Amino acid sequence: TQAGTSKGKSKTNQDSVICINEFGPSSVFQLYGVCDGHGPNGNDISRFVTDNLPTVLHDLLTQQLRTLSIQQILKKTFESIERRMQDLATQRALPFDINYSGTTATIGLFAGDALYVANIGDSRTVLGQTPPSTVTKKKHIPVAIALSVDHDPKNSTEQSRILNKSKSVTIVHDDEDESARIEIELPVLNEANSAAPEHTTENGKISSATTSNPFLAMAQKQNANGAESEATNGPSFVRRISASVSRSLGDRMAHQYGGLISEPE
């Protein structure tokens, strides 16, 4: 894949891929996947997933294929990756921040003639199928068949789940480009206890690092009443972030306060 551009400058390519033609026990499987990172550290998180997911999935297939279905194993794989990343972040053992960065993921696991797809976010798996000549006059031209569903606020099922789960979110629609975002209001935080102080400035304005973030737009402002925190005697701030997908890996703040989940379909 190629990195996009912004104002004439190339952006960081945050895509990572998996392509393993001989995979799993006895090398009878094939594994393919794409992760599309977002946020300041999206490239690190997408690479973390593609580096770790094959190992986790291989171990689960080896150990639990006799007791669990492949669908269950794929779900456990995503759960394990998310838990590992969150645990490492809590231990401060990750070389990158996951509070305001994450990744989508869509993978395909071939088992003989069967294809199992697991998807999270809005990256897509599409099957190209050549229809019979009786269906179309254009021979040998494949027809695209969607094998995954986008997890975003335009998805009515996802929208209902998020609104029912969190009272701190609103869904904002843009009629011009038919997009939608999840606006998340975080609780009042003291600057000293901020989850990501490296993304803030002394006067509470949006830093350049956050304004260039295509997935999460953070805004900070000092409380209107200028109140100070009794615990630390410092200024309090209100944070607002927004998300364009309703499921992802990483994105700690959006998961905690905005209803995002890491469960694949």
Side-chain angles (χ1 to χ4, degrees):
T1 60
Q2 293 183 337
T5 59
S6 177
K7 298 180 180 180
K9 296 182 179 180
S10 294
K11 297 190 293 184
T12 301
N13 189 339
Q14 298 186 311
D15 298 338
S16 298
V17 300
I18 299 171
C19 183
I20 307 175
N21 294 323
E22 296 181 354
F23 178 76
S26 303
S27 300
V28 297
F29 297 88
Q30 295 85 44
L31 178 65
Y32 309 101
V34 172
C35 292
D36 181 9
H38 46 250
N41 302 305
N43 56 312
D44 295 309
I45 297 175
S46 68
R47 178 58 61 87
F48 178 91
V49 174
T50 56
D51 284 347
N52 288 273
L53 187 146
T55 301
V56 173
L57 179 55
H58 183 283
D59 291 345
L60 287 172
L61 287 171
T62 302
Q63 299 165 7
Q64 302 187 26
L65 188 55
R66 292 184 178 181
T67 57
L68 297 178
S69 67
I70 290 181
Q71 292 93 327
Q72 291 172 316
I73 287 175
L74 288 172
K75 182 177 178 179
K76 288 191 67 171
T77 298
F78 276 74
E79 291 174 350
S80 177
I81 292 294
E82 177 70 9
R83 185 169 56 252
R84 179 180 298 184
M85 186 160 46
Q86 295 290 347
D87 288 347
L88 289 172
T90 300
Q91 299 164 13
R92 299 184 181 275
L94 283 177
F96 50 85
D97 179 76
I98 65 170
N99 283 314
Y100 302 103
S101 300
T103 187
T104 67
T106 185
I107 65 170
L109 178 68
F110 278 97
D113 294 332
L115 172 61
Y116 297 87
V117 174
N119 180 67
I120 190 170
D122 58 1
S123 294
R124 299 172 177 175
T125 296
V126 180
L127 175 68
Q129 185 177 61
T130 303
S133 57
T134 55
V135 177
T136 176
K137 295 181 180 180
K138 298 180 180 180
K139 298 181 179 180
H140 308 301
I141 298 180
V143 175
I145 301 174
L147 299 183
S148 61
V149 176
D150 287 355
H151 299 134
D152 60 30
K154 292 187 294 182
N155 181 320
S156 59
T157 301
E158 290 293 286
Q159 184 177 136
S160 297
R161 178 184 61 77
I162 287 174
L163 293 176
N164 289 333
K165 185 175 181 179
S166 176
K167 297 181 180 179
S168 303
V169 305
T170 55
I171 306 298
V172 178
H173 295 270
D174 189 332
D175 295 331
E176 185 173 338
D177 61 3
E178 299 183 350
S179 65
R181 300 187 71 84
I182 306 165
E183 298 286 342
I184 307 165
E185 182 173 347
L186 304 186
V188 175
L189 300 172
N190 182 274
E191 187 179 26
N193 298 322
S194 171
E198 65 273 20
H199 297 316
T200 64
T201 56
E202 292 181 359
N203 59 8
K205 293 182 180 180
I206 303 173
S207 69
S208 59
T210 60
T211 55
S212 63
N213 182 350
F215 178 78
L216 295 173
M218 296 189 301
Q220 256 193 347
K221 61 181 181 181
Q222 197 165 6
N223 279 356
N225 59 9
E228 294 186 346
S229 167
E230 295 181 0
T232 59
N233 197 32
S236 296
F237 291 81
V238 174
R239 289 176 180 270
R240 285 182 180 271
I241 59 176
S242 66
S244 60
V245 296
S246 55
R247 303 191 190 197
S248 70
L249 296 164
D251 296 312
R252 204 175 200 178
M253 294 295 102
H255 280 240
Q256 184 171 353
Y257 298 107
L260 273 69
I261 60 175
S262 56
E263 179 180 346
E265 279 191 309

